[in-house]
Amino acid sequence: MLGLVVAAAIIGFLVARGAATDQQPQGAGPSSGQSTQEAGQLVRENSRVLSQAPNEKAVLVEFLDFECEGCAAAYPFVEDLRAEYADTVTFVHRYFPLPGHPNSVTAAVAVEAAAQQGAYEPMYQKMFETQPEWSHTTEDRSDVFRGYAEDLGLDLAAYDAAVADPATRERVELDVADGTALGVSGTPTFYLDGEPLQPNSLEEFTAAVEAAARD
């Protein structure tokens, strides 16, 4: 079970979107009445699928920022959901680094570089599990992230090439563009089967996923 403090942090970010540093500038979303399909793509062919349900009945998409404290608070909860509903719910991640976080883009590029070697999951987990050690500083943490890649046994030459390749950052920016077009303004932001998920409690969140998994 999650502690009360962690649970409060998750709901605080889901409902109130946390502090200003965890928000995009306002006014970037779609106009009132504009559909998700018109605004942007929620999932693309190259989106990072955290886990694919063999008997998929629902898709949970999360726009996340690896330097966001709310995302780190939600991380163990989402992992619990993934374990519980692995058979019927597909979990998809979209990068959404926020301008108020100095190393958020660098972290996203590092995770994407690892993903290109099939190591998205362990690198994303490493980012959240070590977030207090590297986050919220203007010091470039690229070397720290490269150390994570080394710890995971990745090909460092290939990792370095991916980090340096403008296409890797463009891949991250594509997710940001989609999120902005969809009206995403903070992290974590969740969509369940194409609709924004805005629960008032962890119980409501879990109930929504459970209901979708049964349909």
Side-chain angles (χ1 to χ4, degrees):
M1 293 294 291
L2 293 173
L4 292 178
V5 173
V6 174
I10 296 172
I11 294 304
F13 279 89
L14 290 177
V15 178
R17 292 297 175 230
T21 53
D22 290 296
Q23 294 181 309
Q24 284 275 37
Q26 296 299 309
S31 60
S32 177
Q34 189 174 19
S35 71
T36 293
Q37 290 77 14
E38 293 170 336
Q41 288 188 234
L42 187 57
V43 179
R44 292 181 180 270
E45 289 185 0
N46 66 350
S47 293
R48 290 302 169 189
V49 177
L50 182 59
S51 57
Q52 176 69 52
N55 299 302
E56 182 184 293
K57 294 185 178 180
V59 178
L60 183 69
V61 179
E62 178 183 1
F63 284 85
L64 53 75
D65 174 344
F66 297 109
E67 200 166 359
C68 163
E69 292 176 352
C71 295
Y75 161 65
F77 173 67
V78 172
E79 287 293 284
D80 286 346
L81 287 178
R82 188 158 72 102
E84 180 72 18
Y85 300 105
D87 186 58
T88 53
V89 179
T90 293
F91 290 76
V92 178
H93 281 171
R94 304 297 303 270
Y95 303 114
F96 204 77
L98 297 166
H101 294 155
N103 279 284
S104 59
V105 172
T106 306
V109 168
V111 173
E112 176 58 23
Q116 292 176 22
Q117 296 190 47
Y120 176 84
E121 181 175 355
M123 192 63 153
Y124 121 85
Q125 291 173 337
K126 189 77 169 178
M127 287 293 182
F128 283 136
E129 290 167 1
T130 63
Q131 190 193 78
E133 301 171 16
W134 60 263
S135 64
H136 301 298
T137 175
T138 56
E139 181 180 347
D140 183 6
R141 295 303 199 186
S142 297
D143 287 345
V144 173
F145 303 150
R146 189 177 190 273
Y148 295 164
E150 184 174 17
D151 292 342
L152 294 175
L154 301 186
D155 180 329
L156 291 183
Y159 172 85
D160 290 342
V163 168
D165 188 348
T168 304
R169 179 160 180 155
E170 289 169 4
R171 170 67 187 75
V172 172
E173 291 173 346
L174 175 62
D175 278 10
V176 175
D178 275 343
T180 300
L182 289 163
V184 175
S185 62
T187 55
T189 291
F190 293 90
Y191 286 81
L192 181 61
D193 283 343
E195 297 298 327
L197 183 57
Q198 298 176 315
N200 291 312
S201 68
L202 293 180
E203 289 75 15
E204 284 189 12
F205 195 122
T206 302
V209 173
E210 183 178 6
R214 289 198 309 262
D215 290 344

